[in-house]
């Protein structure tokens, strides 16, 4: 999933519950499948009050966040911060500061909260000081911000904010319907 100039093409619309024997979350598995090396720096935090736009989407201000600086071949390409309602996350692997190889989608499905849909919002963004330090780019660098709100049949499960600097080596791809019967050059 390379585009010929070193960028990684991430099929963002193809995340799903996967076999429990996997050793990487969905993003990392796509990186491995492309012959490249994924890594991440992870931080988990409990919040009594998350920023209002996140609380509005989650339906609660109390949340657990999992913030990952995603790297491909040792180069930071994105910051991904996922927020989970605190009542859903407590007592699960979501609150542990450890990688979840099967992915959080599988953890939630195992708890009876299967993901049934999501909405992505893509906007322009300027890299702030903390993001700049984590991504190794200048503050103010133009970036793409994706906000994904994920739900089950009965509630919102997660809000994920992903920030990736433009020209930073990550191409987010979205597809609808069945996978293409032939390669689309990605």
């Amino acid at each position: 999933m390379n585009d010929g100039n070193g960028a990684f093409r991430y099929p963002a619309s193809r995340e799903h519950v996967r076999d429990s024997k996997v050793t990487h979350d969905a993003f990392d598995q796509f990186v491995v499948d492309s012959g490249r090396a994924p890594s991440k720096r992870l931080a988990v935090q409990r919040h009594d009050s998350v920023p209002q736009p996140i609380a509005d989407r989650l339906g609660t201000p109390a949340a657990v966040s999992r913030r990952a600086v995603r790297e491909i071949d040792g180069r930071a390409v994105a910051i991904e911060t996922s927020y989970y309602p605190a009542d859903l996350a407590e007592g699960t692997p979501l609150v542990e500061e450890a990688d979840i190889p099967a992915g959080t989608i599988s953890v939630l499905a195992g708890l009876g909260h299967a993901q049934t849909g999501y909405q992505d919002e893509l906007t322009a963004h300027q890299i702030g000081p903390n993001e700049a330090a984590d991504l190794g780019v200048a503050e103010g660098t133009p970036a793409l911000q994706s906000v994904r709100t994920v739900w089950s049949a009965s509630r919102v499960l997660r809000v994920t904010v992903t920030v990736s600097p433009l020209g930073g080596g990550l191409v987010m791809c979205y597809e609808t319907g069945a996978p293409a019967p032939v390669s689309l050059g990605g």
Side-chain angles (χ1 to χ4, degrees), residues 1 8 10-11 14-15 25-34:
M1 295 191 196
F8 173 71
Y10 174 51
R14 294 289 177 201
E15 68 174 28
D25 65 28
F27 182 94
D28 287 354
Q29 189 63 57
F30 285 120
V31 174
V32 167
D33 290 348
S34 75

Side-chain angles (χ1 to χ4, degrees), residues 96-117:
E96 298 170 13
E97 197 150 333
D99 192 29
I100 301 174
T104 62
I105 295 168
S106 295
V107 167
L108 292 168
L111 296 170
H113 301 284
Q115 176 175 314
T116 59

Side-chain angles (χ1 to χ4, degrees), residues 70-154:
R70 298 281 193 169
E71 298 175 342
I72 298 175
D73 299 331
R75 179 177 171 212
V77 297
I79 299 171
E80 180 183 273
T81 307
S82 294
Y83 299 88
Y84 302 87
D87 68 301
L88 190 64
E90 286 302 326
T92 74
L94 297 173
V95 299
E96 298 170 13
E97 197 150 333
D99 192 29
I100 301 174
T104 62
I105 295 168
S106 295
V107 167
L108 292 168
L111 296 170
H113 301 284
Q115 176 175 314
T116 59
Y118 61 84
Q119 172 183 299
D120 285 338
E121 300 169 62
L122 305 172
T123 58
H125 179 78
Q126 283 191 326
I127 299 289
N130 293 338
E131 295 166 331
D134 284 335
L135 292 168
V137 299
E139 184 177 345
T141 296
L144 176 67
Q145 177 176 278
S146 167
V147 178
R148 177 170 283 185
T149 304
V150 175
W151 54 83
S152 69
S154 61

